[in-house]
Amino acid sequence: MNSADNPNKVRRPLGPVMLDVAGTALTEEERERLLDPLVGGVILFARNYTGSEQLSALTTEIHALRDPALVIAVDHEGGRVQRFRTDGFTRIPSMRRLGQLWERDHVAALDVARAVGYVLAAELLAHGVDLSFTPVLDLDYGCSRVIGDRAFHRNPQVAATLAQSLVAGMAEAGMGCVGKHFPGHGFVEADSHLEIPVDERDFEAIWNEDIAPYRHRIGRQLSGVMPAHVIYPKVDPNPAGFSPFWLQDVLRGRLGFGGVVFSDDLTMEGATVAGDIVARARAAYAAGCDMVLVCNRPDLAADLLDRWAPVIPPESRARIEALRSRAQCKDPFALELHPTYRQARSALAGISEDVA
């Protein structure tokens, strides 16, 4: 349905805030909030899902609110970070499983990674979800409580190569991708959801290891990048997501990244160093983020929308609007008949058998 078919759809450019919603359908208060000019997207969680038809109805309702439609995103990586797992969704293996397969058979690992990307994206797109915050490009140092098996591999070249195949599968299905958590979250043990992680390495160590995947060809294929709520004190006193050095000098400048920069969730403990929710949004935006996320705290989301008045560059709006999907199949019931999807699911059968 386009805006001509729906005269009630509000015509309004997409803003720089991505919010969540509480349940499986929108409340009247949430509809009003999503019409706010600062809002540009919605992130979904497992609590927003009970089944295929319900999810399609929710995303249809969200998309119908505005023109251009709000971007609908989700953290849907595979393994323990997969929000939708039943009724039209395949259980996706953790990325470490792909790295383990690489050790046995490089070609098979690349084929499965591409199949993972296609299945992951095709199923989300068929249910009206535009974007997944994946792939995780952090390295598996074996110490991070929050990254762990979400990472492909310890070797940055292997991680980048597998990620590139996964992203190719996503692109074939019609979805962009968001690499995270720049410049790297895998080396520190602390979980930035609960603590303020500090990585004591110098710039050269981070550049040679953790940033290597972003310097690989995969870095030019990313639609978005999400920085880490990690402080690298030998480089900059601010967490990466609040650092002009990391986001403008390194990511935009040295790496030439031209896509959307998303903040990580501004309600996480790792973001509290910047102050209250408005101070956090201002710091992230000043550092170079195009879009800020506020999750699981509707009170803080309302406060931010009431008090924040950013100047939004036209190029930032254009980057956000370019995130919308190019889905080949928008019907979850028809997806099973799509030959590429069926082949990709078959490729996952063996590696997915023991996914918890």
Side-chain angles (χ1 to χ4, degrees):
M1 178 183 290
N2 59 37
S3 58
D5 299 323
N6 181 7
N8 296 319
K9 181 178 280 194
V10 175
R11 295 172 178 82
R12 183 168 293 158
L14 299 183
V17 178
M18 179 171 279
L19 305 178
D20 60 344
V21 294
T24 56
L26 297 182
T27 66
E28 191 56 41
E29 181 181 9
E30 287 169 341
R31 289 187 193 94
E32 290 300 318
R33 186 170 295 156
L34 295 182
L35 291 175
D36 191 289
L38 286 182
V39 176
V42 177
I43 181 169
L44 301 180
F45 292 90
R47 66 173 182 268
N48 304 122
Y49 178 75
T50 58
S52 177
E53 291 188 18
Q54 170 272 322
L55 180 60
S56 294
L58 176 61
T59 59
T60 297
E61 183 178 13
I62 293 170
H63 280 151
L65 289 172
R66 290 173 56 168
D67 178 25
L70 295 168
V71 175
I72 301 176
V74 67
D75 284 316
H76 200 81
E77 305 164 7
R80 57 194 166 97
V81 183
Q82 182 175 344
R83 305 307 188 199
F84 319 133
R85 298 167 179 251
T86 59
D87 191 21
F89 286 93
T90 303
R91 299 290 291 270
I92 302 295
S94 70
M95 297 304 98
R96 180 185 283 169
R97 291 286 310 283
L98 299 180
Q100 292 169 343
L101 180 58
W102 172 273
E103 297 299 327
R104 303 194 301 271
D105 187 332
H106 292 4
V107 174
L110 293 174
D111 288 344
V112 172
R114 188 179 184 110
V116 164
Y118 188 90
V119 169
L120 182 156
E123 291 176 348
L124 289 174
L125 292 168
H127 289 84
V129 179
D130 300 300
L131 186 69
S132 178
F133 290 115
T134 192
V136 171
L137 296 178
D138 303 309
L139 302 182
D140 188 2
Y141 288 94
C143 61
S144 173
R145 296 199 302 270
V146 70
I147 302 303
D149 64 358
R150 297 166 66 190
F152 288 97
H153 206 274
R154 167 63 183 87
N155 184 309
Q157 295 304 317
V158 174
T161 301
L162 289 171
Q164 185 178 358
S165 284
L166 183 139
V167 166
M170 293 176 68
E172 186 178 2
M175 181 178 281
C177 56
V178 179
K180 59 187 186 184
H181 304 82
F182 181 84
H185 201 318
F187 189 79
V188 289
E189 180 182 355
D191 180 348
S192 55
H193 293 84
L194 308 172
E195 305 169 71
I196 302 173
V198 177
D199 187 331
E200 297 286 355
R201 293 177 298 164
D202 61 23
F203 179 81
E204 288 305 313
I206 299 166
W207 176 264
N208 290 329
E209 294 278 357
D210 300 63
I211 296 180
Y214 296 90
R215 304 200 324 264
H216 187 274
R217 183 180 174 188
I218 177 64
R220 298 188 294 276
Q221 297 170 318
L222 298 174
S223 306
V225 165
M226 178 177 285
H229 285 322
V230 176
I231 298 174
Y232 309 85
K234 292 183 180 177
V235 181
D236 190 286
N238 302 299
F242 301 141
S243 166
F245 173 77
W246 283 118
L247 300 187
Q248 297 181 38
D249 293 1
V250 179
L251 183 60
R252 295 285 193 207
R254 298 193 196 191
L255 298 176
F257 178 68
V260 176
V261 178
F262 293 89
S263 81
D264 207 340
D265 179 11
L266 295 183
T267 72
M268 290 164 57
E269 184 63 26
T272 59
V273 296
D276 70 8
I277 192 63
V278 177
R280 296 174 209 176
R282 286 173 177 158
Y285 213 59
C289 290
D290 296 289
M291 180 167 268
V292 300
L293 275 69
V294 182
C295 308
N296 305 309
R297 288 291 303 273
D299 56 328
L300 295 184
D303 187 26
L304 180 64
L305 297 181
D306 285 343
R307 297 198 292 125
W308 191 34
V311 176
I312 305 171
E315 61 271 21
S316 185
R317 287 196 193 275
R319 285 193 288 260
I320 293 169
E321 292 182 5
L323 292 170
R324 290 299 308 282
S325 69
R326 304 174 303 282
Q328 294 182 8
C329 178
K330 296 185 179 182
D331 180 357
F333 299 102
L335 192 58
E336 290 284 349
L337 302 177
H338 198 288
T340 306
Y341 173 73
R342 294 173 66 177
Q343 292 169 6
R345 279 201 69 187
S346 296
L348 294 188
I351 196 170
S352 299
E353 286 176 356
D354 60 344
V355 175

